[in-house]
Amino acid sequence: MTLVSTSFALTALTDDRRRHESLAELFVGTDGLGPSRLASLVRRSPLTISQTLELLAGGESSPVPTTDRRATAWDELVQRMRTALAGGLPVAQARWWLSGDPGWDARFGDDDDAPAALCVVGSLAALAGPRVAIVGTRSASAAGLAMARELGFMLSRAGISVVSGLARGIDGAAHRGATSDPTASGTPVGVLGTGTGVAYPREHHGLQAIVAERGLLLSEYDPGRGPRPEAFPRRNRIVAQLAQAVVVVESGTKGGSLLTVNEATLRSRPVLAVPNNPVVRSAAGTNALLREDDGAPPLALPCHGVADVLAVLDYQVVVDGERIDDRLSPDGPTHTVLRAIGWDRRATSALSTESGLSLRETALALAWLEEQRWIEHRSGRWSRIP
């Protein structure tokens, strides 16, 4: 269960005009008590939202008749809340950033579709320097993921704040690259389509925590609100609003990344796209951005690497196109296994078969490559780190 701090929750819900679901959006458990179930409990309560919340925080018994089986669920919720308020569960350090607050006008002052307010976790100093959004498909190819990670890494090393929606695929890869070097001066910025206290997708829980710790998370929504379809296009416009340039690494002909491109174009933000093989379906939209249409100029500039992005920003950084790499070079069996991995996600048994090495030799080579940060192991498969 994720819970915002008590004072924040109480002030956030003192307005009784809010819908009953607001309580569900703030207090959502991961162990069987979702927004709809909690909302149904609250609807049965004869009390106002504020009174209901105070009852919960105080550990009172259910105002729902005891003959109703929902009373048991209510009592379970009360116990969970009491544990959380006692410090037994994680607390999201969220606060609201409002129009008129320091830094707001510099980011949204002249935007007709500026958010009414943003819930933030982390430091707003992440928005003080140059910012580049890296976006793309959730179903990216191995090459697309590698490119996104390398761009995130290099931009962060150059002092650029990498912005994304922290979605699966390209977004997540870009921020893994941006956060892979703790000494990098660029600070990560994640714009969420959920509340700041909700990890979505769930496997990004750790990545989201790192972004909050080193940089900034932002959301238009209350900290406990779960994912809803209408929220993600709204998130994409904020990504475009905050970025000084947008890089589309890999995108189909439909999807959120093209919505971000549209929002960026409306605001005269430069858009770059990474050229890709025409037969790669997940890059059809990216390639379309680079084509002339009936004599009209392309919607995006080509991006072959970090130098192209920095040139668009007119950012004065010496870049030689090479990353500083302190990893030991693989040779012998480790080189054979790394070559067998390529840029795909491979299982250990398949690598043993393809490399001609025994399972023991393959496992030893994989352990060395992982230690030297050439590869990583996720969901039972190995993939290469740029």
Side-chain angles (χ1 to χ4, degrees), residues 23 43-44 87 122 178 256 277 289 292 334 341:
L23 182 60
R43 287 193 194 98
R44 296 296 300 272
N277 191 320
L289 293 173
E292 293 186 6
T334 56
I341 293 174

Side-chain angles (χ1 to χ4, degrees), residues 142-168:
L145 294 174
M147 183 64 170
R149 187 162 186 159
E150 186 74 3
L151 281 173
F153 175 89
M154 293 295 290
L155 287 170
S156 187
R157 286 285 295 266
I160 309 293
S161 292
V162 173
V163 185
S164 89
L166 281 176
R168 286 189 181 95

